[in-house]
Amino acid sequence: MSAETPTFDCVKIEREGPVTFVVLNRPEKRNAMSPQLHLDMCDALDWAQMDEQTRVVVVTGAGGNFCAGQDLKLYFRGTEDDPKARVRARAAAHEWRWNKLSMFPKPTIAMVHGYCFGGGFTPVIACDFAIAADDATFGLSEVNWGIIPGGLVAWAVTQVMNYRDAIYYSVTGEQFSGAEAAAMKFVNKSYPLANLRAETLKLANSLAEKSPAAVRYTKEALRSVRNMSKDQALDYLNCKSDALKHVDPEKGREKAMKQFLDEKSFKPGLGNFSRS
Ligand code: COA
């Protein structure tokens, strides 16, 4: 581990070159999210955002599971008589699982293995990509213990799931596998567990090779236009395209045009331009 890699009580950082794994780390509790885990995730994502070596973030869980949802003991019961702690935990829970991840300036991948329940759905949905083990177990289990998929879960599932699936799995609490999640496009792809990390790294490394500015502006553009009218989107995308030309420190567009049109050294349809 590099000297600058931070440590946290409930989150672990693992580096693989430009790819940083931000790992929920309460394996003995199936990575159920305690208030401290939420605070640590806020700090870990802030660190990863500023860390120059980190080009892609993978969010995953330690000990063979992604996340067993909110910690019923520490997050719910533990803050019942402490309104200040409840407010702080709720704010941190929302901040990293939605605000930070969905606005993250670098590509993010949720790598899901083992269990993923309840509040664990939100970061999976907020990440740009989600890759699961075929035998991962997803479940919107809230209904099983008498609550609704709160926080932002009910809203988030309707962003990525077909409405029928969202209702079905929220109201029945029935589990679905990683392979089923891939079939319904809740995650991008699923793989046998033995290949999950290698396949996730393959995707992460391919993202790390692309122009960081183009990747960031592309994901920001897609996220923003979803809630715009056609005319607003057209105007916004024109402005965003112009802005990219000016903010890209690598001047990727100019380099790529030169390499394709003048030097004939690459084909944009088939791969990346040379960033060096
Ligand atoms: N909150 C608090 N503690 C949790 C937890 C959660 N969401 N999920 C697991 N744990 C704890 C268990 O209480 C147990 O603690 P203990 O060792 O002190 O008894 C430990 O983690 C291991 O859990 P266990 O149930 O023994 O493991 P398992 O592998 O047999 O089952 C689950 C794992 C995830 C299927 C099961 O723990 C479970 O159903 N958890 C709740 C999932 C859920 O509904 N989450 C949504 C919350 S909104």
Side-chain angles (χ1 to χ4, degrees):
M1 263 195 190
S2 102
E4 319 89 60
T5 305
T7 56
F8 304 95
D9 288 348
C10 302
V11 172
K12 186 168 60 165
I13 303 292
E14 294 169 2
R15 289 178 179 282
E16 297 246 10
V19 182
T20 295
F21 288 75
V22 178
V23 185
L24 310 188
N25 192 26
R26 301 183 69 223
E28 71 290 353
K29 302 290 181 190
R30 311 298 182 258
N31 306 316
M33 296 177 288
S34 62
Q36 187 60 48
L37 182 143
H38 291 306
L39 295 169
D40 287 353
M41 280 302 288
C42 286
D43 291 343
L45 290 174
D46 283 350
W47 168 81
Q49 176 170 343
M50 300 309 293
D51 176 58
E52 283 181 14
Q53 186 184 322
T54 299
R55 300 285 306 278
V56 179
V57 163
V58 177
V59 177
T60 192
N65 293 294
F66 185 75
C67 174
Q70 295 286 18
D71 189 307
L72 275 67
K73 189 173 176 188
L74 298 178
Y75 183 88
F76 289 112
R77 184 182 281 169
T79 61
E80 244 161 35
D81 299 325
D82 187 347
K84 279 189 190 160
R86 169 63 64 91
V87 165
R88 198 160 168 248
R90 186 181 278 177
H94 178 64
E95 188 61 19
W96 80 265
R97 287 182 306 161
W98 193 262
N99 289 349
K100 286 188 190 297
L101 275 181
S102 69
M103 305 288 282
F104 207 73
K106 304 172 185 180
T108 52
I109 304 173
M111 185 178 89
V112 183
H113 50 182
Y115 292 122
C116 175
F117 286 114
F121 274 50
T122 306
V124 174
I125 294 166
C127 282
D128 302 318
F129 302 88
I131 308 291
D134 289 335
D135 62 358
T137 301
F138 290 89
L140 289 162
S141 53
E142 288 89 341
V143 72
N144 292 345
W145 64 284
I147 67 164
I148 63 167
L152 210 53
V153 176
W155 177 84
V157 291
T158 61
Q159 299 296 300
V160 292
M161 275 180 159
N162 165 300
Y163 187 65
R164 285 261 181 244
D165 288 332
I167 292 274
Y168 185 91
Y169 289 106
S170 302
V171 175
T172 64
E174 199 175 288
Q175 296 102 53
F176 54 95
S177 69
E180 287 169 321
M184 69 172 88
K185 282 300 172 198
F186 179 71
V187 301
N188 296 98
K189 295 187 178 183
S190 75
Y191 296 100
L193 179 60
N195 304 343
L196 178 66
R197 193 174 173 101
E199 292 292 347
T200 304
L201 269 172
K202 200 190 289 178
L203 170 64
N205 282 316
S206 78
L207 294 167
E209 284 168 12
K210 296 193 179 293
S211 155
V215 166
R216 176 178 179 170
Y217 268 50
T218 301
K219 59 184 228 160
E220 287 175 353
L222 267 107
R223 187 174 56 231
S224 298
V225 296
R226 291 180 86 191
N227 297 317
M228 288 182 192
S229 69
K230 170 177 61 58
D231 290 345
Q232 287 169 331
L234 186 61
D235 187 42
Y236 165 85
L237 290 170
N238 283 338
C239 295
K240 193 91 179 157
S241 303
D242 288 345
L244 177 57
K245 283 184 222 163
H246 296 289
V247 301
D248 181 2
E250 296 184 349
K251 297 284 170 218
R253 185 177 184 273
E254 286 88 333
K255 273 186 201 160
M257 296 260 257
K258 188 161 171 249
Q259 289 169 25
F260 179 55
L261 298 176
D262 306 327
E263 298 167 1
K264 300 199 178 295
S265 58
F266 96 115
K267 294 184 190 296
L270 303 179
N272 297 324
F273 68 95
S274 164
R275 291 172 48 227
S276 54

